Amino acid sequence: MPLHLISEAPVPDVAAGVNPGSKQLIDRLSADGRLPVGDFETLLSSPSDEDRAYARDRAAAVAQRQFGNRVFVRGLIEFSSHCRKDCLYCGIRRSNRDAERYRLSPDEILACCAEGYRLGYRTFVLQSGEDGWFTTEVVTDIVRRIRAAYPDCAITLSIGERSTAAYQQFFDAGADRFLLRHETADSEHYARLHTAGQTLESRLACLSDLKRIGFQTGAGFMVGSPFQTVHHLAKDLVYLSELRPHMVGIGPFLPHHRTPFGDQPAGSVDLTLFILSLVRLMLPTVLLPATTALGVARTGGREAGIQAGANVVMLNLSPSEQRPKYLLYDNKPVSGEVFEMTDAVRRSLARIGYDVVVDRGDHPKEIR
Ligand code: SAH
């Protein structure tokens, strides 16, 4: 059943308390760090408000135990909107002829880092479409320059699928982390979200390469992507329990009007929050962002994500004149000075008892 057809209303006979079956599964997930796919399906099928509140409170306690009230901030630099891939959900897909394309020069990328550093950022996340202009050599050179200029900062790449040799070269040049969401762990679902030539198999091969090379590695997926079922989400969680990545990016699917999924409904914020809590319970030390998409889907979504167990926020360091050209989905925020946005997030998290810290925010330890 597509997720948007699943009622979010509490199930009446458990409204008074947590469903004992759900509680048992949440406790077991927390104790064992995994669940069979069928148990995840049961948990995800129709969680009541109380089930979600139970998972949230347990997950927030785990995050508190691991990280205290500290939230890590990342400076996102969207350095190219050119993309050779054609992901059906994404606003900068190759077939979107209306998308304006830009690329930042290496000097402009370094200038974004300089501004971020001044504002207290100690992780730079370089993200882009799959842009052939940025060859292995060009990316390596950029990583080397950032590494030399900011020895106390972490460098994260989010630039899609590359060869094993290229990944190795980026790592050797000083990149620390790599984000590559798996998007969905079901190959048929993967095929419905992408075009011919894009396979789950190659995505997962990249993820295992990245992890083997030694990157702090991030996988993840959208909640409520078209055709997604509870079974797919259960497989996503099982996959995460097996990969045991250092980072997990999860946000609601949001439609972009110039894509084939432009008229599809957005993913559920409540379900996204519930899944964030389950991931925190399953991988206690994981670096888990409250994503931009979560903040776009609901006012206060980012703060709710932190309260559900997330411990990272990513803010946009890209030059403001280019931000309107990196629209993965509709209503993505494009205005605002970095200084003001940073301050606003710091203050809104302080209101709920969290401190944005000046720190690389590495993964606490290698996960088994
Ligand atoms: N080219 C890079 C970066 C992709 S953009 C790569 O392949 O990894 C980062 C993430 O944004 C994607 O992995 C996807 O999960 C998410 N995203 C893309 N379009 C979206 C949409 N319409 N709604 C919500 N998230 C989206």
Side-chain angles (χ1 to χ4, degrees), residues 1-8 41 44-47 189 224-233 271:
M1 178 162 47
L3 286 172
H4 61 276
L5 298 180
I6 294 172
S7 162
E8 294 199 350
E41 286 177 14
L44 294 168
S45 287
S46 50
H189 186 217
S225 59
F227 315 113
Q228 188 181 60
T229 64
V230 162
H231 176 63
H232 297 146
L233 284 174
L271 185 59

Side-chain angles (χ1 to χ4, degrees), residues 59-299:
V62 170
Q64 188 75 34
R65 194 160 64 238
Q66 294 293 339
F67 303 99
N69 65 345
R70 291 152 53 88
V71 171
F72 300 130
V73 72
R74 317 296 195 203
L76 180 65
I77 302 167
E78 299 159 335
F79 67 90
S80 171
S81 67
H82 291 264
C83 194
R84 63 175 151 230
K85 292 271 168 83
D86 221 8
C87 310
L88 270 65
Y89 43 83
C90 183
I92 63 167
R93 64 197 301 265
R94 184 186 60 217
S95 297
N96 181 6
R97 306 261 172 256
D98 283 357
E100 283 185 74
R101 309 290 172 171
Y102 72 94
R103 48 177 75 95
L104 301 186
S105 69
D107 284 347
E108 288 170 318
I109 296 172
L110 265 291
C112 293
C113 295
E115 186 181 15
Y117 193 88
R118 257 192 319 111
L119 294 170
Y121 291 82
R122 294 296 179 268
T123 290
F124 304 120
V125 181
L126 271 57
Q127 191 180 85
S128 68
E130 293 202 7
D131 180 358
W133 189 89
F134 287 92
T135 58
T136 306
E137 283 61 41
V138 173
V139 173
T140 302
D141 196 52
I142 293 167
V143 169
R144 245 188 234 122
R145 286 180 63 186
I146 300 175
R147 173 53 55 239
Y150 304 99
D152 55 337
C153 291
I155 302 170
T156 305
L157 297 176
S158 175
I159 60 174
E161 297 177 36
R162 299 265 176 147
S163 68
T164 312
Y167 286 152
Q168 183 70 57
Q169 205 170 309
F170 303 152
F171 186 77
D172 293 342
D176 304 279
R177 309 188 190 128
F178 204 108
L179 299 172
L180 187 80
R181 291 187 180 181
H182 65 281
E183 312 297 359
T184 171
D186 181 279
S187 54
E188 280 166 31
H189 186 217
Y190 195 94
R192 299 186 78 173
L193 298 180
H194 301 97
T195 50
Q198 293 181 257
T199 65
L200 177 60
E201 202 186 353
S202 66
R203 199 84 178 163
L204 299 189
C206 288
L207 278 160
S208 64
D209 273 354
L210 290 164
K211 211 168 170 226
R212 187 165 28 76
I213 288 168
F215 283 102
Q216 294 176 49
T217 302
F221 55 91
M222 294 173 282
V223 173
S225 59
F227 315 113
Q228 188 181 60
T229 64
V230 162
H231 176 63
H232 297 146
L233 284 174
K235 285 178 79 171
D236 287 324
L237 291 174
V238 168
Y239 171 67
L240 293 179
S241 75
E242 288 165 354
L243 179 70
R244 309 200 81 74
H246 306 83
M247 306 176 284
V248 172
I250 295 174
F253 160 76
L254 297 171
H256 184 291
H257 66 287
R258 293 296 297 166
T259 65
F261 296 155
D263 56 0
Q264 296 287 314
S268 156
V269 171
D270 285 337
L271 185 59
T272 305
L273 294 171
F274 184 48
I275 291 173
L276 286 174
S277 299
L278 299 182
V279 170
R280 169 60 65 209
L281 293 172
M282 181 164 83
L283 302 168
T285 53
V286 78
L287 298 167
L288 188 64
T291 55
T292 309
L294 194 55
V296 171
R298 177 187 292 171
T299 306

